[in-house]
Amino acid sequence: MARTAAKITLSPSRDIPLDRLALSQSNVRRIKAGVSIETLADDIARRGLLQSLSVRPLLDAEGQETGRYEIPAGGRRFRALELLVKRGRLAKNAPIPCVVRAADSDILAEDDSFAENAMRESLHPLDQFRAMQAMIDKGDDVEAIAAHHFTTPAVVRQRLKLAAVSPKLHGIYADDGMTLDQLMAFTVADDHQRQEEVWTQLDHSFNKSPAFIRQKLTEDSVRVTDKRAAFVGIDAYVAAGGGVVRDLFEADGGGWLTDPALLDRLVDEKLKAEGTRILAEGWKWVTTSIDLPWDATRDLRAIDREEVAMSDDEQARVAALEAESEALCEQWSDAPDVPAEVHARIDAIDAELGALVDRPLVFHPAEMERAGAFVSIDRDGTVRIERGFVRAEDEPEQDMPEGAADPDVEDGGAGPISRGSGEGDHGAPPAGSDGEEEGEGLRPLPDRLVSDLTAWRTLALQNAFAQDPAIAFSAVLHALVLGCFYAGTRESCVQVAANRVYFSNAPTNLRDCAPAQAIDARASAWKERLPQSDQELWDFLLTLDGDEQALLFAHCASLCVNAQAEIVPKYDNGRISAHGVARRIAHSDVLARSVSLDLVAAGWRPTVEGYFRSVTKPRILADVAESRGPQFAEMIDHLKKADMAREAERLLEDAAWLPEPMRTPGLGDTEAGEAEGDAANGELPAFLAEDADGPDDAIDAELPVAAE
């Protein structure tokens, strides 16, 4: 017959005055960890002692109990109680609940101390989330919970957000079916059904990363950092009934807007209101668009404009602000810590100076009546207004000057050119005639003769032109600048045209890419320096030194480079052919090798919007296999097209991969690159290398240059 195990007897508990307790040298905790003594004392002061102290009697030399007790387990609680006595919050002889272990126990005091700490188990995170939610449900608030548990309101909100995730996902997390990071990712959406759908989809995906979960949950939302959101304003969007979700665990740039349709409606309304306001200035037309097309100003003439001069008061204010800014910078330049208010004041000065220096433009009312403006949204969400452009059909008809030849009348020669005055003579005088009739005054030279004479003069000018490289360069530069900066102007006798490239099918947001931003910045810097009138351009160009002329020349020439593989129409339209496009692309490869073109360094990446959405699934898999290897392609070959495209974008983000049309054949060929580099990158002519009047880096101080 089996014996019944003896029942255990627990150590008795009783209240012992605090001043009869002392720390034991057997307590194994020596290193501070976890909640501080001060924090524990505050908690005991609020809620009392939740756990008794484990004590043993102290014996005298004869082995008799002295009435005092040592504490091998509970030393931190004892120190917290002592601190409350020092603060005057607790009597020094207050009764303390204690579990009293026999002095002659077989269990060592060190064993008790170690067991109390080692056998302790913290709450499962899910229990923490649910506990805080229960406190909220029973009337507590976030700030109170944070204060009572010595944490921050932000941490409490994070726990509450985790508690709000689908109970089904809670169960999976509790069974170690997902990680805490994955659970945190699900907090970006409040819809439990959607959360569960995404988790189900992940069963068939190799990628279960938190980033991918967030991407799936927010794919139908708009980032707060989107320029449309910045343009409308989050407050206006929310006031109109829009929702915003936040990721409390990751830097999300402000969250996501959950109602794209509402956002687009608000953007349209605000853009139209801005267009109406600009139209009221007196323009004939105003075009509004979220993204202004790359070639919006193609074939449009920019009308003259003048900056409003500063008043005496404004000039005085600018001087005062500059002096204050200089004084602050000098005062705090060597200080290790600059106060926030100083930074704020410097920022305020810069903002006010910018508003004063950025002068408003004035246009002639008569020109405004036939011109218009473009209103769009800039990259930072501000309104972008480009005023003063005349369409070809709105150009005024040019009246024929008295005595000028009619261009529609054929003269069989070089055209209606006359350097004389008075009535024109549209034919050569008959043979044997001296061209004058008795009794008549001096008549202008016949057009035919003028044409013959100027032909001879042209050859003489060409010959002289060829012998003066500096003037020849300036003349070509003059023609290029006219074509690039003075639309509609053809006042040069040098028949070199700046045929600016306007893409036949420009992709959306092309103006926002890094190369476009660099080109725009460089063009803006030159526009600030160039004269308003094309009549003053020639004299201005002659004031530039060789380096400045070369930089301006390179900028204008760059705008004429066309490496686009345009879509060739099915039927020949006389403008573009497959053969012509092929030859153009071939020469673009020569230029690309000469300048060591690096599209990855320039900022291009294969994205869903810019590439993968437009290609087939087999192409996506082939691209991934080429760039990362077949094993990566196999990981995503079971996905739907949209998911496959997103995964491919992630996989190729840092792969430095380019699709075939963007590659430059032979760019990695050292010999070919060196041979073509020698031909294309030779030294500038001597007259360009010479420093005429200014310092070598004069242009660098004023012109932004695209990063290499």
Side-chain angles (χ1 to χ4, degrees), residues 472-529:
F473 179 84
S474 298
V476 174
L477 174 61
H478 178 256
L480 290 179
V481 175
L482 285 175
C484 292
F485 290 94
Y486 299 86
T489 300
R490 294 291 183 271
E491 300 298 333
S492 174
C493 69
V494 180
Q495 295 185 2
V496 174
N499 294 321
R500 292 197 59 175
V501 174
Y502 294 97
F503 303 107
S504 57
N505 52 327
T508 305
N509 295 331
L510 187 62
R511 293 167 64 112
D512 293 340
C513 72
Q517 293 178 34
I519 292 171
D520 285 347
R522 191 160 49 243
S524 297
W526 276 116
K527 283 179 182 178
E528 292 180 2
R529 299 188 63 191

Side-chain angles (χ1 to χ4, degrees), residues 28-29 51 73 77 101 107 109-123:
V28 299
R29 185 186 289 274
Q51 188 177 355
R77 276 163 280 154
R101 171 83 75 174
I107 306 297
E110 288 84 356
D111 197 343
D112 282 349
S113 177
F114 180 80
E116 185 194 46
N117 291 282
M119 299 294 287
R120 178 185 304 164
E121 185 173 349
S122 298
L123 275 177

Side-chain angles (χ1 to χ4, degrees), residues 622-635:
D623 293 340
V624 172
E626 179 189 23
S627 59
R628 297 297 303 274
Q631 68 275 21
F632 286 91
E634 292 170 1
M635 290 178 180

Side-chain angles (χ1 to χ4, degrees), residues 236-486:
Y237 165 79
V238 172
V244 180
V245 296
R246 293 293 312 275
D247 188 344
L248 300 183
F249 301 93
E250 297 287 337
D252 59 9
W256 294 266
L257 309 188
T258 58
D259 194 340
L262 172 62
L263 176 63
D264 287 338
R265 177 172 64 80
L266 295 175
V267 169
D268 183 62
E269 292 173 355
K270 188 172 181 179
L271 260 183
K272 286 181 177 177
E274 289 290 340
T276 301
R277 180 178 66 84
I278 300 302
L279 189 64
E281 296 177 357
W283 302 104
K284 181 176 182 178
W285 53 267
V286 170
T287 297
T288 60
S289 174
I290 294 176
D291 298 299
L292 196 63
W294 175 261
D295 58 350
T297 60
R298 180 178 184 178
D299 298 329
L300 303 184
R301 177 175 63 88
I303 64 177
D304 292 339
R305 61 207 69 195
E306 294 181 1
E307 287 188 353
V308 176
M310 281 191 187
S311 65
D312 292 341
D313 290 342
E314 288 175 326
Q315 291 178 354
R317 181 58 179 164
V318 167
L321 290 171
E322 289 177 342
E324 182 181 357
S325 177
E326 191 174 318
L328 286 173
C329 291
E330 184 176 349
Q331 178 182 354
W332 296 98
S333 59
D334 297 327
D337 296 314
V338 180
E341 55 270 20
V342 175
H343 282 299
R345 179 54 189 159
I346 292 176
D347 291 341
I349 291 173
D350 290 341
E352 188 176 353
L353 274 174
L356 287 169
V357 174
D358 188 12
R359 307 304 300 162
L361 301 175
V362 176
F363 301 86
H364 194 282
E367 287 275 68
M368 292 177 66
E369 291 176 359
R370 64 173 65 94
F374 295 96
V375 178
S376 59
I377 304 177
D378 217 337
R379 292 181 290 271
D380 60 356
T382 58
V383 180
R384 178 172 181 169
I385 304 171
E386 299 177 59
R387 298 176 174 88
F389 294 95
V390 181
R391 295 167 174 163
E393 60 268 26
D394 295 329
E395 290 285 8
E397 294 184 4
Q398 298 293 333
D399 295 331
M400 294 292 294
E402 186 177 354
D406 187 348
D408 294 330
V409 178
E410 295 185 2
D411 64 354
I417 304 174
S418 176
R419 307 185 91 181
S421 60
E423 296 182 358
D425 183 355
H426 297 293
S433 170
D434 60 5
E436 297 182 20
E437 295 184 8
E438 189 177 349
E440 292 187 3
L442 189 63
R443 300 178 63 185
L445 294 176
D447 291 342
R448 177 70 67 184
L449 178 59
V450 171
S451 177
D452 293 343
L453 295 176
T454 52
W456 199 100
R457 179 178 180 273
T458 297
L459 292 179
L461 180 58
Q462 290 177 354
N463 186 48
F465 200 72
Q467 299 176 59
D468 195 332
I471 293 299
F473 179 84
S474 298
V476 174
L477 174 61
H478 178 256
L480 290 179
V481 175
L482 285 175
C484 292
F485 290 94
Y486 299 86

Side-chain angles (χ1 to χ4, degrees), residues 506-585:
T508 305
N509 295 331
L510 187 62
R511 293 167 64 112
D512 293 340
C513 72
Q517 293 178 34
I519 292 171
D520 285 347
R522 191 160 49 243
S524 297
W526 276 116
K527 283 179 182 178
E528 292 180 2
R529 299 188 63 191
L530 293 173
Q532 289 288 332
S533 172
D534 60 295
Q535 301 295 326
E536 303 171 6
L537 177 60
W538 177 260
D539 291 336
F540 169 79
L541 294 178
L542 295 182
T543 66
L544 301 178
D545 63 30
D547 289 339
E548 291 176 313
Q549 286 188 348
L551 286 171
L552 181 55
F553 184 92
H555 172 73
C556 294
S558 71
L559 302 180
C560 305
V561 174
N562 186 0
Q564 185 186 30
E566 295 181 78
I567 300 173
V568 180
K570 183 176 181 181
Y571 300 102
D572 185 16
N573 61 5
R575 185 185 68 84
I576 183 174
S577 67
H579 177 68
V581 171
R583 294 190 63 179
R584 172 200 303 170
I585 298 302

Side-chain angles (χ1 to χ4, degrees), residues 8-344:
I8 63 172
T9 302
L10 299 179
S11 298
S13 61
R14 68 173 188 263
D15 291 344
I16 300 175
L18 180 62
D19 56 2
R20 295 174 62 185
L21 300 174
L23 287 175
S24 171
Q25 295 301 313
S26 299
N27 194 310
V28 299
R29 185 186 289 274
R30 296 283 189 264
I31 300 172
K32 294 181 180 180
V35 179
S36 69
I37 299 299
E38 291 80 4
T39 301
L40 182 57
D42 293 338
D43 190 64
I44 293 174
R46 174 178 176 267
R47 72 177 80 251
L49 197 63
L50 295 179
Q51 188 177 355
S52 301
L53 305 183
S54 178
V55 302
R56 296 187 181 215
L58 286 172
L59 306 179
D60 59 17
E62 286 75 26
Q64 302 297 317
E65 294 188 10
T66 61
R68 296 182 61 78
Y69 298 83
E70 64 175 352
I71 308 169
R76 297 181 68 253
R77 276 163 280 154
F78 175 72
R79 291 191 183 92
L81 294 171
E82 285 186 319
L83 181 58
L84 291 174
V85 171
K86 291 180 180 179
R87 292 178 178 176
R89 301 292 306 281
L90 184 69
K92 64 180 180 179
N93 61 350
I96 306 301
C98 300
V99 174
V100 182
R101 171 83 75 174
D104 59 352
S105 172
D106 293 336
I107 306 297
L108 297 174
E110 288 84 356
D111 197 343
D112 282 349
S113 177
F114 180 80
E116 185 194 46
N117 291 282
M119 299 294 287
R120 178 185 304 164
E121 185 173 349
S122 298
L123 275 177
H124 190 280
L126 187 56
D127 292 328
Q128 297 180 32
F129 314 152
R130 289 169 171 168
M132 288 189 174
Q133 184 62 57
M135 286 183 259
I136 291 291
D137 294 341
K138 293 182 178 180
D140 226 339
D141 57 53
V142 170
E143 285 70 21
I145 294 174
H148 296 160
H149 295 275
F150 309 100
T151 186
T152 64
V155 171
V156 176
R157 292 189 183 95
Q158 288 177 338
R159 302 297 184 266
L160 294 175
K161 195 71 172 176
L162 286 162
V165 173
S166 164
K168 180 179 178 180
L169 299 186
H170 279 170
I172 296 172
Y173 171 55
D175 295 336
D176 296 326
M178 73 168 64
T179 66
L180 178 58
D181 285 340
Q182 288 173 321
L183 185 68
M184 289 159 55
F186 280 100
T187 63
V188 301
D190 297 326
D191 186 344
H192 287 181
Q193 182 178 352
R194 178 60 178 152
Q195 292 174 349
E196 294 166 9
E197 287 175 354
V198 169
W199 180 252
T200 301
Q201 293 171 11
L202 294 180
D203 287 340
H204 307 289
S205 174
F206 81 97
N207 184 8
K208 297 183 180 181
S209 68
F212 184 62
I213 294 172
R214 291 186 182 90
Q215 184 184 53
K216 293 288 292 182
L217 290 171
T218 59
E219 60 188 1
D220 296 325
S221 305
V222 177
R223 279 275 190 182
V224 169
T225 52
D226 189 283
K227 68 179 182 180
R228 293 171 295 166
F231 174 66
V232 170
I234 303 302
D235 292 341
Y237 165 79
V238 172
V244 180
V245 296
R246 293 293 312 275
D247 188 344
L248 300 183
F249 301 93
E250 297 287 337
D252 59 9
W256 294 266
L257 309 188
T258 58
D259 194 340
L262 172 62
L263 176 63
D264 287 338
R265 177 172 64 80
L266 295 175
V267 169
D268 183 62
E269 292 173 355
K270 188 172 181 179
L271 260 183
K272 286 181 177 177
E274 289 290 340
T276 301
R277 180 178 66 84
I278 300 302
L279 189 64
E281 296 177 357
W283 302 104
K284 181 176 182 178
W285 53 267
V286 170
T287 297
T288 60
S289 174
I290 294 176
D291 298 299
L292 196 63
W294 175 261
D295 58 350
T297 60
R298 180 178 184 178
D299 298 329
L300 303 184
R301 177 175 63 88
I303 64 177
D304 292 339
R305 61 207 69 195
E306 294 181 1
E307 287 188 353
V308 176
M310 281 191 187
S311 65
D312 292 341
D313 290 342
E314 288 175 326
Q315 291 178 354
R317 181 58 179 164
V318 167
L321 290 171
E322 289 177 342
E324 182 181 357
S325 177
E326 191 174 318
L328 286 173
C329 291
E330 184 176 349
Q331 178 182 354
W332 296 98
S333 59
D334 297 327
D337 296 314
V338 180
E341 55 270 20
V342 175
H343 282 299

